Amino acid sequence: MLGYWLGAEALDVDVFQIGEIRSSIQDPAFVVEKLSEIALKGISPGINDPNTAIHAIHYIGDILRELSRLPEGDFLFSNDKSDWHAKRKPMEATLFEALTPIKTYASHDIFVMASVFEAIRIARLEAHASHEETFETFIDYFEETLDVEELHPRERAFLTNQMLRARKVQT
């Protein structure tokens, strides 16, 4: 959602281009959504290609890293002639919508789940401090909802290590 208004002396210029379809350049959250869909298709029983899912999840982490550099909240721009207010989806919503469906359908695959924690770790590498609690809360959510006690001790250790790596990012 975007608000735009002009000051009295503003030049008559086109600031935004409005199209009929969403674009990855204009809307990174759209790319995260599409990559999440690719990951879900990769882990679906009909396709059963977890490596495609893992690849897509890694790309999600790369995009989240770029998005998390910015502070949480909307954008307000002004150049003394015009002002813009661009609403942004909160990071928590982006994480939830992108990664929770993957957890739902791939909780039995430790390598796919490890890639989710790796994506979170990558997203946190250069994250703005305003996202710190969001990432921690999201890792807590995954830790609470995954049934790691049902895993073999070696698998549990592997997945637990990935969770810890996602928590202990040096920023």
Side-chain angles (χ1 to χ4, degrees), residues 75-91:
F75 290 124
L76 299 173
F77 301 100
S78 181
N79 66 2
D80 295 329
K81 296 209 179 270
S82 55
D83 301 289
W84 305 274
H85 176 200
K87 290 195 158 290
R88 288 182 44 216
K89 184 184 288 188
M91 180 60 71

Side-chain angles (χ1 to χ4, degrees), residues 49-78:
D49 184 7
N51 286 324
T52 294
I54 291 167
H55 231 45
I57 293 165
H58 285 164
Y59 283 121
I60 290 171
D62 289 339
I63 294 167
L64 291 174
R65 181 184 59 225
E66 297 300 318
L67 291 175
S68 69
R69 287 179 179 172
L70 303 169
E72 188 71 57
D74 296 348
F75 290 124
L76 299 173
F77 301 100
S78 181

Side-chain angles (χ1 to χ4, degrees), residues 9 16 20 28 32 41 54 63-64 76 78 83 103 108 127:
E9 302 293 319
F16 297 98
E20 294 182 19
V32 171
K41 287 178 184 170
I54 291 167
I63 294 167
L64 291 174
L76 299 173
S78 181
D83 301 289
K103 176 202 68 79
H108 61 281

Side-chain angles (χ1 to χ4, degrees), residues 1 6 14 17 32 34 38 66 95 103-104 127 153 169:
M1 174 150 321
L6 296 173
D14 291 331
Q17 187 175 45
V32 171
K34 293 296 140 194
I38 291 168
E66 297 300 318
L95 288 170
K103 176 202 68 79
T104 300
V169 171

